[in-house]
C-alpha cells in the first residue's frame, strides 16, 4: 500500500465524504425506524455499505491531510500501544469491580475506570517496558533517517 498512489487518492475531499456518509446514515436511520416495506432490508444493506466506505475513507483522508506530521507524543503513544492493548483488559475489568459498591453514578465510574486504566497502563509501560528487552521486542527494529533530525524510526517491512 505504501508503494502505490492509493494513499494520495484517499486525501480527496475527506470532509465531503464524511458529510455524505452522515447524510446517508441519517437516511438509513429514517428508513429503519419509519418505513415497514419489504424492500427496506436490501436498501439498508446498500446504504450501510456506502456509509461504511465513505466514513472510513473520509476519516483516513482527514487524518492524512491534517495529522500527517511527526510528533514525539504520538510516537510515544504508538510505541506504547501494543503493550497497552495487551494489558488493559484485566485492569479495566478489575477497577469497575472495585467501584461496584461505591454508589457513584455510572458516568463517574466510567471516568474513573478510563483514567485509572490509562494512567496504570502508560506508567507500567514507561517504568517497566520502554527501556527493557520487551520494549525493544514490541517496538520492532529502529533505524535513523539521516539529515531529517529524526534519530529513531520504526522500520517498515
Amino acid at each position: 500500500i505504501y508503494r502505490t498512489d492509493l494513499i494520495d487518492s484517499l486525501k480527496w475531499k475527506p470532509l465531503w465524504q464524511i458529510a455524505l456518509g452522515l447524510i446517508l446514515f441519517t437516511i438509513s436511520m429514517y428508513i429503519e425506524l419509519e418505513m415497514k416495506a419489504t424492500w427496506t432490508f436490501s436498501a439498508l444493506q446498500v446504504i450501510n455499505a456506502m456509509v461504511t466506505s465513505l466514513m472510513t475513507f473520509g476519516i483516513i483522508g482527514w487524518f492524512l491531510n491534517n495529522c500527517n506530521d511527526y510528533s514525539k507524543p504520538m510516537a510515544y503513544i504508538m510505541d506504547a500501544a501494543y503493550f497497552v492493548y495487551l494489558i488493559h483488559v484485566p485492569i479495566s475489568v478489575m477497577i469497575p469491580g472495585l467501584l461496584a459498591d461505591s454508589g457513584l453514578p455510572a458516568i463517574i465510574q466510567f471516568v474513573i475506570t478510563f483514567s485509572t486504566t490509562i494512567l496504570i497502563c502508560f506508567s507500567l509501560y514507561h517504568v517497566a517496558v520502554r527501556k527493557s528487552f520487551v520494549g525493544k521486542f514490541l517496538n520492532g527494529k529502529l533505524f535513523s533517517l539521516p539529515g531529517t533530525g529524526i534519530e529513531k524510526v520504526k522500520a517498515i517491512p
Side-chain angles (χ1 to χ4, degrees):
I1 190 168
Y2 293 105
R3 293 180 180 93
T4 66
D5 293 335
L6 181 62
I7 290 181
D8 290 332
S9 66
L10 290 177
K11 295 179 182 182
W12 180 75
K13 300 187 180 186
L15 293 179
W16 284 104
Q17 293 178 48
I18 293 171
L20 184 58
L22 289 173
I23 290 167
L24 287 175
F25 177 74
T26 305
I27 291 169
S28 74
M29 289 295 104
Y30 175 76
I31 289 173
E32 187 174 353
L33 294 175
E34 298 296 326
M35 303 184 105
K36 303 295 181 200
T38 56
W39 57 270
T40 57
F41 182 73
S42 299
L44 284 173
Q45 286 182 323
V46 171
I47 291 172
N48 288 335
M50 291 170 56
V51 167
T52 302
S53 300
L54 286 167
M55 294 298 285
T56 301
F57 294 136
I59 291 170
I60 290 172
W62 186 85
F63 273 97
L64 286 173
N65 285 337
N66 299 311
C67 304
N68 205 14
D69 297 326
Y70 179 79
S71 165
K72 281 190 177 185
M74 286 306 294
Y76 185 85
I77 291 170
M78 287 188 309
D79 288 345
Y82 190 59
F83 175 76
V84 170
Y85 166 72
L86 291 174
I87 200 165
H88 83 282
V89 172
I91 295 169
S92 61
V93 167
M94 180 185 65
I95 295 171
L98 297 172
L99 294 173
D101 295 332
S102 67
L104 293 170
I107 190 72
I108 302 298
Q109 289 183 12
F110 170 76
V111 169
I112 291 171
T113 301
F114 183 75
S115 305
T116 308
T117 301
I118 288 175
L119 182 70
I120 290 171
C121 289
F122 279 98
S123 297
L124 274 173
Y125 174 76
H126 187 74
V127 171
V129 176
R130 180 134 175 103
K131 301 291 182 190
S132 71
F133 72 94
V134 176
K136 288 180 178 58
F137 175 74
L138 290 176
N139 293 331
K141 185 178 177 181
L142 302 175
F143 68 94
S144 310
L145 290 176
T148 62
I150 300 173
E151 289 88 31
K152 295 180 181 179
V153 179
K154 286 185 184 179
I156 298 173

